[in-house]
């Protein structure tokens, strides 16, 4: 039943091409029916020849010609039908594969970060590629072979019963045996196949994780360990796969034997019936052709079930991802956020990644439009999480966040994110050219605007130093650039976006002091007249912030201006003292 459900779901994915699917299905049935004519006509020709053997040649031809012409007609019909099915089934399957792939891709991109945390990108990619491959194969083979094979079986058996019920019993027993055998093998292999697929996914994750961290692997001389880890997964794949292969090999051997045995049985039984005058030679010939056809169809059906059993876990994984509803999506009455002034309020916000340990709790603060707020505190205090909640990377478990008095859960997600610019802790960049990376900020930006943004972000100098300038490709995650260059590029990107609300997550942590001073000025310039939330470790850079929130273990423990907090002699003073005490130490010879 599980297989049937899965198969029906695969066919339902045909979407708008369902009409073409139906036409192909009907052509297939016609094709399958036309195929039966051959053995019947063959038998009729033989019977005619035996009956008329004593008559003159012209009379024999007179009787045989109509049969041969009908046979030719059916032959031509099957060739035309077969060609059309082959041609269109191929197009349909390829076309739908690409649609399924882009639907999956779009869906995965909409899943919030919290949901993606459990799933490695390598695994998601493997599920997409193999899942769509399985879909393609199922569609193609359904329209090319399997529908015809199923229909043939459904028609052949009753038809055989009608022709000669005694011989037909042999065919029925054969069908039942095949059914029982396939079912038995499925029971034996299903669990193992699931394990095989699980190990394949582990392998995809392992490979993608290692390749994504190739500098780490090389610098820690971990090549052998990583290869060994991959080999260990390969061994697990093989030890689960081999028994499955053995079971299906048994099916192949049994079906071969069944062919020989069935034909022998039909010949023996046929001879016995012939001696009792219960059957003609033509009927025996028709039956042998039938048995060969039925066994051919049965083999097709069994090989289809074999492939479906192999692909079922892949398809289940594929549908599992597609069925994951994004926990963060637009409310039905969500509105556009048009030109917000940028007043932000956090009211009693609580969020936990795992539902147990809160990452932030009871956050209460207000950012007036155009103000700059700084979040400080030790690593892991919850600063990035607090700001991630503002652009709905995740939603709080309780409490609310508003912009200009509107709860952000009532604002369209795309509209919310259009109004917020983020400079991430690690600069996230595409393996594309500098220009393409900058255009992410504003796809319509002119060359002059690109140059202006790069200049304001202190990035123009290193861009122009490169012979390819804005056309230069920057490698996977910007690997071809230095940490400071990556940051300046991501600042230029947000300058182009020009949002009313800005989030700077440790944006100035990897720059040399000269560039940092210039960049700090640029950022002050950029944050003018926009609500800005900054996470900064160097406390000197946030002297001019309107309000500083000191966070510890997910809570705000102190709030106020730099001078107020410093004079209070609390946690902030301690942080400042620690930082300034650390400087001479670091510089000490
Ligand atoms: P900060 O920005 O102050 O360094 P974070 O907001 O990154 O702190 O982290 C707050 C807490 O949440 C930490 O205990 C951290 O381990 C945890 N955390 C952060 N990101 C994730 C995540 N994606 N999944 C699970 N836990 C996380």
């Amino acid at each position: 039943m599980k297989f049937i459900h899965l198969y029906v779901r695969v066919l339902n994915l045909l979407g708008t091409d369902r009409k073409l699917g139906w036409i192909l299905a009907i052509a297939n049935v016609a094709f399958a029916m036309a195929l039966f004519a051959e053995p019947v006509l063959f038998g009729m020709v033989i019977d005619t020849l035996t009956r008329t053997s004593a008559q003159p040649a012209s009379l024999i031809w007179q009787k045989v010609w109509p049969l041969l012409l009908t046979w030719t007609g059916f032959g031509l019909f099957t060739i035309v039908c077969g060609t059309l099915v082959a041609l269109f089934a191929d197009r349909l399957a390829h076309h739908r594969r690409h649609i399924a792939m882009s639907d999956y891709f779009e869906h995965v991109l909409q899943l919030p970060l919290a949901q993606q945390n459990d799933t490695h990108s390598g695994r998601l990619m493997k599920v997409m590629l193999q899942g769509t491959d399985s879909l393609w194969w199922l569609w193609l083979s359904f329209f090319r072979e399997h529908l015809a094979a199923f229909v043939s079986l459904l028609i052949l058996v009753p038809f055989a019963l009608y022709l000669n019920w005694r011989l037909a019993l042999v065919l029925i027993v054969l069908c039942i045996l095949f059914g029982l055998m396939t079912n038995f093998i499925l029971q034996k292999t299903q669990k193992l196949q699931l394990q095989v697929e699980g190990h394949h996914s582990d392998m995809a994750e392992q490979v993608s994780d290692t390749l994504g961290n190739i500098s780490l692997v090389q610098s820690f001389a971990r090549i052998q360990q990583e290869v060994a880890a991959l080999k260990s997964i390969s061994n697990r794949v093989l030890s689960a796969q081999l028994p499955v292969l053995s079971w299906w090999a048994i099916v192949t051997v049994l079906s071969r034997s069944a062919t020989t045995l069935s034909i022998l049985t039909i010949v023996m039984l046929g001879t016995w019936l012939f001696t009792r005058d219960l059957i003609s030679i033509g009927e025996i010939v028709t039956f042998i052709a039938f048995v060969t056809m039925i066994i051919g169809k049965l083999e097709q059906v069994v090989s289809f079930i074999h492939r479906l059993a192999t692909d079922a876990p892949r398809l289940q994984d594929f549908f599992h991802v597609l069925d994951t509803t994004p926990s963060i999506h637009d409310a039905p009455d969500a509105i556009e956020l048009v030109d917000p002034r940028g007043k932000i309020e956090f009211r009693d916000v609580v969020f936990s990644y795992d539902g147990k340990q809160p990452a932030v709790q009871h956050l209460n603060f207000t950012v007036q439009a155009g103000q700059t707020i700084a979040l400080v505190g030790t690593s892991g205090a919850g600063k990035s999480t607090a700001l991630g909640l503002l652009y709905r990377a995740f939603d709080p478990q309780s409490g609310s966040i508003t912009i200009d008095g509107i709860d952000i859960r009532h604002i369209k997600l795309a509209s919310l994110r259009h109004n917020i610019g983020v400079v991430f802790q690690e600069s996230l960049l595409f393996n594309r050219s500098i220009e393409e990376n900058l255009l992410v900020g504003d796809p319509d930006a002119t060359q002059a605007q690109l140059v202006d943004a790069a200049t304001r972000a202190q990035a123009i100098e290193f861009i122009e130093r490169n012979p390819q300038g804005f056309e230069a490709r920057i490698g996977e995650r910007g690997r071809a650039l230095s940490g400071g260059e990556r940051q300046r590029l991501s600042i230029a990107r947000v300058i182009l976006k020009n949002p009313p609300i800005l989030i700077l997550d440790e944006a100035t942590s990897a720059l040399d002091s000269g560039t940092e001073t210039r960049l700090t000025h640029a950022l002050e310039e950029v944050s003018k007249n926009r609500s800005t939330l900054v996470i900064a470790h160097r406390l000197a850079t946030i002297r001019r912030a309107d309000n500083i929130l000191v966070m510890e273990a997910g809570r705000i423990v102190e709030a106020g201006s730099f001078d107020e907090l410093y004079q209070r002699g609390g946690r902030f003073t301690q942080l400042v003292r620690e930082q300034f005490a650390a400087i001479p130490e670091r510089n000490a010879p």
Side-chain angles (χ1 to χ4, degrees):
M1 275 319 277
K2 210 169 79 188
F3 278 153
I4 296 176
H5 276 144
L6 200 62
Y7 200 38
V8 169
R9 178 143 191 209
V10 169
L11 293 178
N12 270 337
L13 273 191
L14 285 172
T16 47
D17 286 319
R18 216 173 291 172
K19 210 191 254 169
L20 177 58
W22 277 115
I23 295 172
L24 286 173
I26 292 165
N28 242 295
V29 173
F31 178 61
M33 295 203 320
L35 279 182
F36 306 140
E38 262 182 50
V40 176
L41 288 164
F42 190 28
M44 286 167 84
V45 170
I46 289 188
D47 276 346
T48 312
L49 291 179
T50 1
R51 271 200 305 271
T52 54
S53 54
Q55 294 178 6
S58 62
L59 211 70
I60 297 177
W61 276 116
Q62 204 182 338
K63 294 248 163 89
V64 170
W65 264 122
L67 294 173
L68 291 180
L69 280 177
T70 322
W71 195 341
T72 315
F74 272 114
L76 285 175
F77 180 70
T78 53
I79 290 170
V80 172
C81 263
T83 314
L84 285 177
V85 166
L87 206 63
F88 283 102
D90 239 353
R91 282 157 197 241
L92 179 73
H94 276 286
H95 176 58
R96 293 310 310 182
R97 183 202 350 214
H98 288 284
I99 293 179
M101 200 181 279
S102 58
D103 286 351
Y104 174 97
F105 188 54
E106 187 177 350
H107 180 77
V108 168
L109 291 181
Q110 282 167 353
L111 292 180
L113 291 178
Q115 275 173 291
Q116 295 198 1
N117 266 351
D118 321 330
T119 323
H120 194 277
S121 54
R123 198 176 276 265
L124 284 171
M125 189 155 124
K126 178 248 172 201
V127 169
M128 175 175 91
L129 295 178
Q130 293 204 326
T132 48
D133 250 6
S134 299
L135 286 175
W136 166 79
W137 179 83
L138 275 178
W139 286 322
L140 189 63
S141 53
F142 176 78
F143 291 118
R144 269 194 168 184
E145 291 165 10
H146 299 133
L147 182 63
F150 279 115
V151 172
S152 312
L153 284 180
L154 285 180
I155 297 173
L156 267 179
V157 176
F159 193 55
L161 271 171
Y162 165 76
L163 282 182
N164 188 306
W165 66 269
R166 292 180 185 87
L167 288 182
L169 284 181
V170 178
L171 292 184
I172 292 173
V173 170
L174 188 69
C175 287
I176 293 174
L177 282 180
F178 262 87
L180 291 176
M181 177 179 71
T182 314
N183 193 37
F184 175 74
I185 304 283
L186 277 180
Q187 303 298 331
K188 287 277 169 206
T189 55
Q190 234 166 331
K191 249 200 196 133
L192 282 170
Q193 191 59 47
L194 206 66
Q195 285 175 12
V196 171
E197 214 41 51
H199 297 322
H200 273 302
S201 297
D202 292 345
M203 196 185 263
E205 180 169 331
Q206 171 82 18
V207 170
S208 142
D209 201 33
T210 308
L211 292 178
N213 288 299
I214 204 147
S215 337
L216 176 75
V217 174
Q218 290 177 351
S219 65
F220 277 78
R222 274 193 60 85
I223 294 178
Q224 294 315 320
Q225 286 96 322
E226 294 300 321
V227 173
L230 187 71
K231 281 186 181 159
S232 137
I233 304 178
S234 294
N235 289 339
R236 273 181 274 149
V237 172
L238 283 179
S239 60
Q241 183 79 79
L242 294 182
V244 178
L245 295 180
S246 308
W247 279 113
W248 285 105
I250 294 175
V251 176
T252 316
V253 174
L254 286 181
S255 55
R256 287 286 126 75
S257 331
T259 319
T260 320
L261 271 177
S262 311
I263 292 181
L264 264 177
T265 315
I266 299 266
V267 174
M268 269 160 51
L269 197 61
T271 314
W272 184 76
L273 291 171
F274 183 71
T275 55
R276 280 156 197 267
D277 227 7
L278 290 170
I279 200 166
S280 69
I281 297 178
E283 278 173 336
I284 296 179
V285 171
T286 303
F287 251 92
I288 290 181
F290 262 18
V291 177
T292 321
M293 258 171 99
I294 287 196
I295 290 174
K297 300 295 169 202
L298 280 173
E299 279 179 350
Q300 267 183 12
V301 169
V302 171
S303 90
F304 161 71
I305 292 176
H306 175 192
R307 176 76 191 251
L308 187 57
T310 313
D311 284 10
R314 289 176 192 169
L315 290 165
Q316 277 160 357
D317 283 348
F318 184 83
F319 288 134
H320 175 72
V321 176
L322 273 190
D323 290 342
T324 319
T325 38
S327 56
I328 293 176
H329 46 79
D330 284 344
D333 55 351
I335 55 163
E336 297 281 343
L337 185 63
V338 186
D339 293 332
R341 294 185 56 248
K343 181 181 175 186
I344 301 160
E345 283 184 281
F346 275 60
R347 287 286 155 260
D348 212 20
V349 172
V350 178
F351 174 75
S352 161
Y353 286 98
D354 57 6
K356 294 176 212 141
Q357 183 79 23
V360 294
Q361 40 189 330
H362 308 295
L363 287 187
N364 279 295
F365 64 88
T366 304
V367 185
Q368 296 298 342
Q371 271 192 341
T372 295
I373 295 282
L375 275 78
V376 299
T378 47
S379 174
K383 306 178 294 291
S384 309
T385 307
L387 299 192
L389 288 164
L390 180 59
Y391 58 91
R392 292 189 76 197
F394 0 83
D395 272 344
Q397 266 95 24
S398 65
S400 67
I401 303 167
T402 58
I403 295 177
D404 290 358
I406 309 165
D407 191 315
I408 56 170
R409 282 169 293 202
H410 296 140
I411 298 171
K412 285 192 176 151
L413 204 55
S415 170
L416 173 76
R417 292 177 181 170
H418 275 307
N419 283 288
I420 301 177
V422 189
V423 177
F424 294 95
Q425 203 162 8
E426 337 155 34
S427 313
L428 304 175
L429 295 164
F430 289 117
N431 178 21
R432 300 174 196 167
S433 70
I434 290 181
E435 179 170 325
E436 282 170 294
N437 270 288
L438 290 179
L439 289 175
V440 170
D442 175 9
D444 302 321
T446 60
Q447 191 62 29
Q449 285 168 322
L450 293 184
V451 173
D452 176 56
T455 311
R456 286 167 68 195
Q458 313 278 319
I460 195 72
E461 187 200 331
F462 79 81
I463 296 174
E464 285 181 344
R465 223 184 309 130
N466 190 313
Q468 286 165 304
F470 281 88
E471 297 302 317
R473 284 181 79 87
I474 59 170
E476 204 174 320
R477 289 192 216 124
R479 214 183 270 155
L481 300 178
S482 75
E485 288 168 346
R486 283 200 289 270
Q487 283 201 343
R488 281 178 270 171
L489 215 53
S490 61
I491 291 167
R493 181 172 63 190
V494 88
I495 291 176
L496 279 165
K497 186 171 179 181
N498 193 20
I501 298 167
L502 195 62
I503 294 178
L504 305 173
D505 192 348
E506 291 184 326
T508 56
S509 63
L511 304 177
D512 59 82
S513 55
T515 316
E516 184 176 316
T517 315
R518 278 178 285 156
L519 194 60
T520 310
H521 288 313
L523 283 174
E524 276 173 6
E525 178 70 24
V526 177
S527 54
K528 250 185 215 160
N529 303 324
R530 346 174 176 257
S531 311
T532 309
L533 297 107
V534 196
I535 299 174
H537 282 314
R538 259 82 44 85
L539 303 178
T541 60
I542 50 161
R543 278 201 89 102
R544 276 187 246 170
D546 295 294
N547 197 9
I548 296 171
L549 309 173
V550 184
M551 289 191 70
E552 222 171 68
R555 293 173 186 271
I556 297 173
V557 291
E558 285 176 14
S561 71
F562 191 97
D563 293 337
E564 267 167 32
L565 286 177
Y566 187 64
Q567 277 157 22
R568 198 177 291 172
R571 185 75 188 100
F572 184 73
T573 320
Q574 203 185 339
L575 284 174
V576 175
R577 291 214 176 111
E578 277 167 13
Q579 204 162 83
F580 284 99
I583 295 169
E585 262 172 45
R586 248 194 276 139
N587 292 343

